[in-house]
Amino acid sequence: MKRILTALLCVLCLAMSAAAQFSLTECFRAETIKNDRGETLPVRVWRKYDKADLPVPVVVMLHGSGQCGTDNINQLGAFGALHHEILTNTDLPPALWAIPQCSQLNPWIRSIAFEETYRQPRYPAPSLRLVKEWLDDLIEQGIADPERIYIGGYSLGGFGTWDAIQRWPNYFAGALPICGGGSVQEDPVKHAATTSIWVFHGSADGAVPVACSRRMVAALTKIGMTPLYTEYNGEGHEVWGHVFRDSAVWRWLFRQRRGKPMAATPDSEDDGFMDAFLQQLKAYVTPS
């Protein structure tokens, strides 16, 4: 037992040392997304892989409205918990992590899906289109594994996440929309159903009504999909820290593959899965 405790303490010390040694800005390096039309978008990229690992999964995280800009640093503000998780979670596979930055004049979405009557615009916002084009280039270069492209985001980025998976079916393997919403129209819902989804929201969110996430889960469930839904009882808007520091979320995400929505089912040994399902049932049976 003493040897086991000593080994665990060593691992913990190494993890804490790594977290202290490599800062958020040192890990996520500044790059620029460009296309042939001269359009650009700031992005922070953590290429946490070796050449021998290629092609690797790609995780794109979309920030909220408070982090909009063109400085290519402000978008990192809410991702401290994610940075720590990547540094210390030894179960995570080699991957490319990306946090692009949109501006207030060019946000992730053309309009916000606050109401049930919302209809998805015909064309994507230029910023979101640029992210998609960049992912296409990474796939073409042999860097990104097309079977393991993941997207997530909070607040404005949550809406952008819904827009992406409803706009480009059979493209993303997994999605983590946090306090966002999308279209409940038939075609966009069917498109989203081609992606494995874990939805998150606070029941007392004063910025984005929890109804935005609840109706998305209900619409997907109605057509036979089983999205995971975690509703944080009594919590407000800023619940993304809970998501980013939850190792169960990332274990689930990296198990997903394109074209096989919800391929990884809950396991009794994984508390994260069970908590998510219990929260989902609670939201339907006793909505706040």
Side-chain angles (χ1 to χ4, degrees), residues 237-281:
H237 188 52
E238 298 183 5
V239 298
W240 42 86
H242 297 309
V243 182
F244 297 154
R245 68 174 61 96
D246 189 345
S247 297
V249 171
W250 306 110
R251 287 198 302 272
W252 173 85
L253 187 69
F254 283 108
R255 279 205 286 263
Q256 309 313 309
R257 296 294 183 270
R258 182 177 63 167
K260 298 178 181 179
M262 305 306 295
T265 55
D267 189 311
S268 59
E269 296 180 356
D270 193 328
D271 293 336
F273 287 119
M274 295 309 297
D275 287 345
F277 269 96
L278 290 173
Q279 289 283 359
Q280 181 176 346
L281 289 173

Side-chain angles (χ1 to χ4, degrees), residues 151-269:
I151 189 168
Y154 64 89
S155 196
L156 176 67
F159 288 98
T161 299
W162 280 113
D163 191 78
I165 64 176
Q166 292 194 311
R167 191 173 295 283
W168 296 299
N170 292 305
Y171 190 86
F172 298 96
L176 304 172
I178 308 167
C179 50
S183 172
V184 293
Q185 303 299 317
E186 183 178 5
D187 285 345
V189 171
K190 287 182 178 179
H191 290 171
T194 63
T195 300
S196 296
I197 309 169
W198 193 339
V199 186
F200 304 86
H201 217 120
S203 67
D205 193 328
V208 177
V210 67
C212 291
S213 284
R214 287 179 179 173
R215 64 172 168 257
M216 296 307 299
V217 173
L220 288 164
T221 303
K222 185 177 179 180
I223 65 169
M225 189 186 179
T226 55
L228 289 173
Y229 179 43
T230 296
E231 188 170 301
Y232 299 99
N233 188 37
E235 298 215 24
H237 188 52
E238 298 183 5
V239 298
W240 42 86
H242 297 309
V243 182
F244 297 154
R245 68 174 61 96
D246 189 345
S247 297
V249 171
W250 306 110
R251 287 198 302 272
W252 173 85
L253 187 69
F254 283 108
R255 279 205 286 263
Q256 309 313 309
R257 296 294 183 270
R258 182 177 63 167
K260 298 178 181 179
M262 305 306 295
T265 55
D267 189 311
S268 59
E269 296 180 356

Side-chain angles (χ1 to χ4, degrees), residues 20-79:
Q21 184 177 357
F22 301 105
S23 69
L24 185 60
T25 53
E26 287 174 326
C27 292
F28 283 94
R29 302 296 182 87
E31 297 187 15
T32 302
I33 295 173
K34 302 177 181 179
N35 65 16
D36 295 338
R37 297 183 295 279
E39 298 173 303
T40 62
L41 193 74
V43 63
R44 286 278 177 161
V45 179
W46 190 349
R47 299 176 182 272
K48 200 172 187 298
Y49 59 85
D50 296 321
K51 188 174 181 180
D53 299 319
L54 296 175
V56 294
V58 176
V59 182
V60 175
M61 299 303 297
L62 306 179
H63 63 77
S65 59
Q67 289 68 50
C68 290
T70 58
D71 60 1
N72 205 7
I73 191 168
N74 192 40
Q75 78 266 37
L76 295 178
F79 290 102

